[in-house]
Amino acid sequence: MTADDKPADPSVGRVLDDWRNAAYNCFSSGHKFCREVCPVLQVTHDETHSPTAFHANLVAMDKGLLTIEDVAADYVNCTQCGACELRCPNTIFAGDFYRFRTRTVDLVKAMRALAVENDIHQPEWQRWNLQTDELKAEPVLEGVSQERVADWAAELGLPIGGETILFCDCEAAFYRTSQPKAVAKLLLAAGVEFGLMREQWCCGGPAAEMGYVDQARRFAEHNIADWRAVGAKRILVLDPHDYITFTEDYPKYFGDDYDFEIVLVIELIAELIRDGRLTLTVPVERRATYHDPCRLNKRKGIHREPREIMRAIPGLTFEDVDHVTQWGYCSGAGAGLGIEKPELTAAISARRVEQAATLDIDLLVSACVWSERPLSEQAAPHAIEVCDLMELVAHAAGLQPLAGLNVAAAGD
Amino acid sequence: MATVTALDDRVLEGLAEIVGHQYVLTSKTARINRARVPSMFAVHRWEEHVPQVVVLPASAHEVSEIVKLANRERIPVVPRAGGTGLVDGAVPLNRGILVDIKRMDHVGEVDLAERAITVGPGVNMFKLNEMLRPYGVMYPDNPASYTCALVGGRIGTNGWSLLGARFGHVRNLVISFEIVLPTGEIIRVGEGGGIKTRSSSSGYRLKELFMGTQGTLGIVTEATLELVKRPEAEFSAFWLQRSYDTAWKTGGELMRSGYATIAGVMLFDERKVDFVRRDDEAYVPQPDWCEAVCAFALYGNRAEVRPAAKEMMRIAKASGGEYVGDEIAQLDWSARHDRYATPLHGRTPNGQVAPMSWHCEDAGIPYPKVPEIRKRWHAIVDDLVARHPIFDDWGMFSYTNGPYKPWGDMLCEIDVGIWEEHLDDETWGAWVDCKREIARASIEVGGTISAAHGSSRAGEVDLVPLELGGAYDVMKTIKRALDPNNIMNPGKYGLDSAYEDG
Ligand SMILES: Cc1cc2nc3c(=O)[nH]c(=O)nc-3n(C[C@H](O)[C@H](O)[C@H](O)COP(=O)(O)OP(=O)(O)OC[C@H]3O[C@@H](n4cnc5c(N)ncnc54)[C@H](O)[C@@H]3O)c2cc1C
Ligand code: SF4
């Protein structure tokens, strides 16, 4: 079984050169410490798309046993949550010394990009990215359009531009509009000045995650130009996915020219509560647990502030689950998995909700809008409600009653 | 012997009828990624061991139907659990059908009265214990592959646990299990007929027979496991020593001290200390005079561990060694699952960093012979490194070996780094010869080739008949009686020879 005789595209050699060392580092370990923390493998049980296989495929390509055509579809099975990287002994024990880190997420991104460069497409991703390119926002529901990107803010009278800009994720802007509203009201109540972009496009992160790197870059260039045009220096980010894009992808695209301060709204809100600039007085008499969004917990190591906020909510009984235990869980919504394989996203969410259900809770609080749709779908049969942490805070601050939340609501 | 070069559509269709189409994997990547395990791998001969098809069954019934089909068609069947085995057990030597049991991960009721739990072979110990924590119990099988090996593979290898001196090894911790025989019958083996009975004199001891077979006598589909009280107290101590001799003598005294809470006593030799020092600054600093380490760990109730720890510390101190302090001891011990096999520590003789694969010998050696085997093994590996710079000596560890009996013999592990990327027929041949010499030395000092992983790797496997003598002939008789067509993991343990003389 050797790869077809057709000469490989030069792009393949370039990716192999970039990744050969990392691939052999994993291949020669091959111990699979990462397997049991991978949320996708917990539901598929299929070693074909383990982090180990993601690395070994490159060795096999290097040896002429596999081609990009053979492997491309396997790399769909990843939410880019980063759990495997945290669990890898090569990172934990010798990483600092050898300046080496297992970077499975970047590898998956590189392989997806290589597939697209070689004109190998996953049908749903192709459709999604074409539509995103047309609409300038992700087609998260019918009727997404550039004209409606700021509809969520209609009643708030927010200015355009200024030094501080609130960037609103596509899912939040069009689908879960109550979330950005809650964020905006909290910021206004605490006296934080901010405006909106003139013309906000999708951050481009999802395109980059699915391998459509040129498109991702074009979108980034547009957004940066808009930020500069309105004099923005500081970007407030209310979604973990955008936070990754702005703190990891954009700096790679623009290097030293990229001089914006990127602020995660959750961290800012935690600070505002801590400093007494936001006071939470409306009790929420519920039993709740917190869902660590992968991109905060595993990719960015942010797990303290959300818990600090949870504990500040009056009346709430908080059943915490250790953030390390949560490495093995995910909503399954990340990195386009839900677009190409919605059945896997559903199964991964179901597993997360089942774990929450063992805690005898009735509220699952997340801090990532992308997780909330799939988690809600799975939570219904367990009589568990899913809500966003910022919406919960807005409720407790008496700024915006949380729809569906069975508690005494204060006025808007 | 069952070997085929192509599976026809009829066979694939038959498998799909058993497990469902989506669980019959024929893609190149599905098969190529199940051709190897972490043990030394002849990358240049990868293609020879690629299974023809992978199936992911969900029940004992499905496994049984797969095996019956394979038996009718004379196709090799290879069970694969976590794929972490270090003796090529799950490598499909003659290709065929790879049965990946990871979907069989059901977890039964936590029976606190009888202290047992029944699980599927695809369950991992770390995950199981995460689930068991609120109940105050644990399943104490704790190999260095704790987070990645699975119950089915643990039984397939008759694995060894780092806490074995206190809680026992896999053979002591699996109370009973269900297995699909090579002809498809489903049986349960344990202590007599009771699923959770701990001891029985009824009939032959078949449980042990079906453990450590490397999948040559059937496929385990369910296991009932021992639950022990979560220890209230855990104590670990690392003592630096000026010479290997004092480390060995101190270790011997600790092993024979009679404290029932001893979970393990460990020795690091000088080369192992050197290996750990390769990233010293990044990890635990050790003084220059340190030539060896003697460590121990205790687990149990507070009322037992505290006084035992005091006495053990007194014995260790009398050796003239130096205690490394609580923080480092805890760090080092809690890192026991991850730390010693990093490929990044590989070095060529001229000091160049090279990503090397970890090879681990795991012989059981009589305590008095441990210093001798250390010298002999290093000499064998030195000779190999001198001829082929893609190999690297990573030093030797020794651990208490017996279940509940920390005395008498030790699991000795010489670790060798191998730069697999550069293996060719010549270096592979040299490696196999080296393996054989290491195994021969172990047998010559009255030990066993393997205390943990099995002895079915190239090189050592040739000497299994030498180690077992007449018992090896009985193994062949059993193999032929239970697997008349040699379909279960053929080629392993030299058992093809059982079919040679008609
Ligand atoms: C970093 C590292 C550290 C390790 N430390 C230890 C240690 O401390 N102690 C120790 O004992 N081992 C250790 N090992 C070796 C390995 O983890 C064990 O041999 C383990 O038991 C293999 O389990 P597995 O699930 O990975 O099985 P696999 O590798 O998949 O299979 C092992 C063998 O069992 C057979 N098998 C698999 N499933 C079944 C089944 N359902 N029924 C019948 N046969 C089956 C396979 O065919 C194969 O022959 C270590 C390995 C690594 C990589
Ligand atoms: S833990 Fe790290 S080195 Fe080991 S298999 Fe996973 S990614 Fe590879």
Side-chain angles (χ1 to χ4, degrees):
Chain A
M1 181 178 37
T2 45
D4 306 338
D5 287 336
K6 188 177 80 159
D9 189 88
S11 57
V12 175
R14 191 195 66 230
V15 170
L16 283 176
D17 285 346
D18 287 349
W19 286 93
R20 187 174 284 106
N21 184 46
Y24 274 102
N25 276 350
C26 171
F27 185 85
S28 50
S29 315
H31 33 40
K32 313 170 182 80
F33 280 91
C34 46
R35 194 191 56 229
E36 298 291 323
V37 292
C38 171
V40 183
L41 290 173
Q42 297 320 295
V43 302
T44 65
H45 304 291
D46 185 353
E47 205 177 321
T48 317
H49 41 74
S50 59
T52 322
F54 287 159
H55 286 90
N57 285 342
L58 275 94
V59 177
M61 286 168 74
D62 204 21
K63 298 281 172 199
L65 295 174
L66 291 173
T67 62
I68 180 65
E69 285 81 3
D70 295 325
V71 305
D74 288 329
Y75 290 88
V76 172
N77 301 282
C78 175
T79 66
Q80 301 180 7
C81 77
C84 54
E85 298 183 2
L86 295 174
R87 193 62 199 77
C88 181
N90 288 352
T91 298
I92 309 174
F93 285 100
D96 290 355
F97 185 72
Y98 294 99
R99 297 191 204 299
F100 177 80
R101 193 184 145 83
T102 299
R103 293 186 299 131
T104 317
V105 171
D106 283 345
L107 171 62
V108 168
K109 286 171 87 170
M111 292 302 278
R112 290 180 178 184
L114 180 64
V116 170
E117 196 174 347
N118 284 268
D119 220 8
I120 304 164
H121 299 275
Q122 309 304 322
E124 290 303 309
W125 285 354
Q126 190 172 28
R127 176 187 64 78
W128 184 274
N129 286 293
L130 275 172
Q131 285 185 19
T132 305
D133 204 11
E134 260 169 46
L135 301 170
K136 309 305 173 212
E138 291 188 279
V140 296
L141 45 66
E142 286 290 318
V144 164
S145 73
Q146 183 56 41
E147 294 74 54
R148 300 188 48 201
V149 70
D151 278 9
W152 64 270
E155 321 136 25
L156 299 171
L158 300 173
I160 300 296
E163 280 208 355
T164 302
I165 290 289
L166 176 65
F167 187 91
C168 184
D169 181 88
C170 301
E171 175 79 348
F174 295 102
Y175 182 79
R176 197 167 282 269
T177 50
S178 51
Q179 198 264 6
K181 265 191 232 169
V183 168
K185 287 178 190 174
L186 286 166
L187 295 174
L188 291 173
V192 178
E193 281 181 23
F194 65 97
L196 298 176
M197 289 169 70
R198 293 180 317 181
E199 196 181 331
Q200 176 188 298
W201 287 11
C202 171
C203 68
E209 288 179 338
M210 289 180 254
Y212 293 83
V213 285
D214 293 340
Q215 180 170 326
R217 173 89 197 217
R218 270 193 288 114
F219 275 56
E221 278 165 4
H222 166 88
N223 285 334
I224 289 258
D226 198 289
W227 292 350
R228 291 206 198 291
V230 298
K233 302 218 156 28
R234 195 168 171 245
I235 314 297
L236 308 181
V237 190
L238 48 69
D239 174 80
H241 295 255
D242 305 343
Y243 189 60
I244 295 276
T245 310
F246 295 154
T247 56
E248 293 182 10
D249 292 0
Y250 282 26
K252 268 184 220 146
Y253 301 150
F254 306 113
D256 289 344
D257 291 345
Y258 185 71
D259 52 0
F260 299 95
E261 184 194 353
I262 306 297
V263 179
L264 182 68
V265 162
I266 297 237
E267 291 188 310
L268 178 59
I269 295 290
E271 191 185 311
L272 294 173
I273 296 173
R274 209 181 298 136
D275 296 349
R277 290 171 64 191
L278 273 177
T279 42
L280 311 184
T281 50
V282 181
V284 182
E285 306 286 350
R286 300 284 293 260
R287 283 175 66 83
T289 192
Y290 171 66
H291 169 73
D292 273 299
C294 304
R295 278 157 181 74
L296 295 189
N297 181 25
K298 300 178 230 179
R299 299 275 299 273
K300 289 294 186 185
I302 298 171
H303 48 82
R304 281 188 206 91
E305 289 81 358
R307 285 175 170 75
E308 186 185 336
I309 298 175
M310 288 289 285
R311 293 202 171 87
I313 296 186
L316 196 73
T317 308
F318 178 30
E319 291 291 330
D320 196 8
V321 174
D322 181 66
H323 74 278
V324 175
T325 305
Q326 287 212 37
W327 287 358
Y329 293 88
C330 175
S331 70
L337 185 67
I339 299 166
E340 195 59 43
K341 294 197 168 177
E343 70 287 0
L344 283 188
T345 299
I348 295 166
S349 262
R351 190 171 159 272
R352 174 64 187 95
V353 170
E354 275 158 28
Q355 197 240 18
T358 65
L359 301 168
D360 194 22
I361 49 105
D362 52 22
L363 191 62
L364 178 57
V365 183
S366 177
C368 163
V369 285
W370 284 97
S371 72
E372 287 155 21
R373 242 201 276 198
L375 288 175
S376 303
E377 279 162 19
Q378 301 305 321
H382 292 275
I384 292 176
E385 283 179 79
V386 175
C387 80
D388 185 273
L389 182 59
M390 290 299 97
E391 294 186 59
L392 191 66
V393 175
H395 181 100
L399 296 170
Q400 176 175 292
L402 196 50
L405 194 67
N406 243 346
V407 287
D412 208 329
Chain B
M1 187 191 32
T3 46
V4 274
T5 45
L7 293 187
D8 57 34
D9 291 347
R10 199 173 39 83
V11 170
L12 295 178
E13 203 39 55
L15 291 169
E17 272 169 31
I18 298 166
V19 295
H21 279 279
Q22 78 181 106
Y23 298 116
V24 176
L25 312 182
T26 53
S27 75
K28 280 185 186 177
T29 50
R31 295 180 297 116
I32 280 190
N33 280 298
R34 288 175 178 85
R36 65 178 192 115
V37 289
S39 48
M40 222 44 66
F41 182 64
V43 189
H44 66 295
R45 291 169 59 184
W46 196 338
E47 286 172 80
E48 293 169 25
H49 305 310
V50 177
Q52 286 148 302
V53 63
V54 174
V55 286
L56 278 72
S59 67
H61 173 74
E62 289 182 6
V63 172
S64 162
E65 291 302 312
I66 294 163
V67 171
K68 283 181 193 160
L69 183 151
N71 225 331
R72 279 195 306 274
E73 304 284 341
R74 308 284 193 266
I75 304 167
V77 173
V78 182
R80 181 176 179 95
T84 73
L86 294 177
V87 296
D88 293 346
V91 173
L93 280 187
N94 296 307
R95 312 185 61 190
I97 303 170
L98 188 138
V99 180
D100 190 325
I101 53 84
K102 288 188 199 66
R103 280 180 68 222
M104 300 176 69
D105 68 339
H106 54 276
V107 174
E109 179 207 359
V110 184
D111 181 346
L112 292 176
E114 287 187 72
R115 299 261 141 177
I117 188 163
T118 298
V119 303
V123 166
N124 162 259
M125 290 79 73
F126 155 73
K127 293 289 281 293
L128 180 63
N129 282 331
E130 199 175 85
M131 188 283 270
L132 290 170
R133 183 177 273 274
Y135 297 91
V137 291
M138 66 174 193
Y139 175 58
D141 177 25
N142 197 302
S145 51
Y146 178 62
T147 53
C148 48
L150 305 178
V151 165
R154 297 297 290 150
I155 297 174
T157 56
N158 190 20
W160 175 96
S161 162
L162 283 157
L163 309 181
R166 173 72 176 85
F167 299 110
H169 299 299
V170 174
R171 80 206 65 154
N172 315 103
L173 293 170
V174 174
I175 308 171
S176 70
F177 60 91
E178 180 186 77
I179 182 166
V180 174
L181 297 179
T183 38
E185 295 87 349
I186 305 174
I187 61 163
R188 189 158 199 113
V189 290
E191 294 288 333
I195 290 183
K196 302 176 191 173
T197 315
R198 294 340 196 259
S199 184
S200 163
S201 292
S202 199
Y204 291 174
R205 302 269 49 81
L206 295 185
K207 184 180 97 175
E208 282 77 3
L209 172 64
F210 286 103
M211 293 186 126
T213 68
Q214 300 290 342
T216 59
L217 290 184
I219 302 183
V220 175
T221 46
E222 182 179 281
T224 300
L225 312 176
E226 198 76 63
L227 296 180
V228 305
K229 183 184 169 203
R230 279 191 82 81
E232 291 169 7
E234 177 184 326
F235 179 85
S236 53
F238 282 64
W239 285 80
L240 308 182
Q241 305 284 350
R242 285 171 201 281
S243 75
Y244 187 75
D245 197 53
T246 43
W248 170 71
K249 282 187 183 137
T250 313
E253 277 186 58
L254 293 168
M255 285 159 66
R256 294 184 298 268
S257 63
Y259 292 102
T261 46
I262 295 179
V265 176
M266 289 140 280
L267 309 176
F268 300 38
D269 82 344
E270 178 195 334
R271 303 257 192 126
K272 183 54 83 184
V273 172
D274 278 349
F275 175 74
V276 174
R277 277 190 176 130
R278 287 178 182 179
D279 75 337
D280 220 353
E281 293 147 74
Y283 202 61
V284 181
Q286 276 149 6
D288 288 345
W289 55 261
C290 169
E291 294 254 300
V293 174
C294 171
F296 64 86
L298 307 172
Y299 280 69
N301 290 337
R302 235 171 261 117
E304 300 164 312
V305 168
R306 280 195 185 147
K310 226 173 179 181
E311 283 306 300
M312 299 269 291
M313 290 296 268
R314 192 186 51 74
I315 297 171
K317 192 162 188 203
S319 70
E322 186 171 297
Y323 180 53
V324 298
D326 288 353
E327 198 187 331
I328 295 180
Q330 272 170 25
L331 215 73
D332 225 291
W333 178 242
S334 60
R336 65 192 183 273
H337 298 131
D338 306 74
R339 190 170 163 218
Y340 299 111
T342 163
L344 304 179
H345 282 351
R347 300 281 193 279
T348 62
N350 60 16
Q352 182 200 339
V353 174
M356 290 191 174
S357 211
W358 168 59
H359 166 82
C360 169
E361 282 297 323
D362 62 311
I365 301 292
Y367 170 78
K369 300 288 185 183
V370 171
E372 177 185 335
I373 206 70
R374 183 176 91 86
K375 288 204 186 103
R376 287 180 67 173
W377 280 358
H378 282 313
I380 294 168
V381 176
D382 282 347
D383 180 55
L384 177 73
V385 177
R387 283 178 295 128
H388 303 289
I390 64 166
F391 298 96
D392 185 16
D393 188 330
W394 289 0
M396 188 171 110
F397 277 129
S398 306
Y399 305 83
T400 40
N401 189 26
Y404 315 119
K405 299 175 273 198
W407 53 80
D409 62 325
M410 299 192 90
L411 182 159
C412 292
E413 156 179 345
I414 185 170
D415 297 313
V416 183
I418 306 186
W419 201 357
E420 278 177 342
E421 202 180 334
H422 297 289
L423 276 174
D424 54 19
D425 283 334
E426 188 197 349
T427 43
W428 179 255
W431 168 244
V432 171
D433 290 344
C434 167
K435 279 276 319 142
R436 198 180 298 109
E437 287 323 299
I438 290 174
R440 193 185 304 283
S442 309
I443 297 171
E444 280 172 6
V445 298
T448 173
I449 299 172
S450 168
H453 308 145
S455 35
S456 54
R457 269 170 299 204
E460 68 196 10
V461 71
D462 311 341
L463 301 187
V464 174
L466 178 68
E467 178 182 336
L468 300 183
Y472 183 71
D473 296 327
V474 177
M475 256 176 78
K476 290 202 287 189
T477 308
I478 293 170
K479 170 73 175 167
R480 211 161 75 173
L482 292 179
D483 184 8
N485 299 311
N486 194 15
I487 62 149
M488 281 308 307
N489 213 351
K492 299 289 155 64
Y493 267 134
L495 288 168
D496 287 352
S497 63
Y499 300 82
E500 271 161 15
D501 28 313

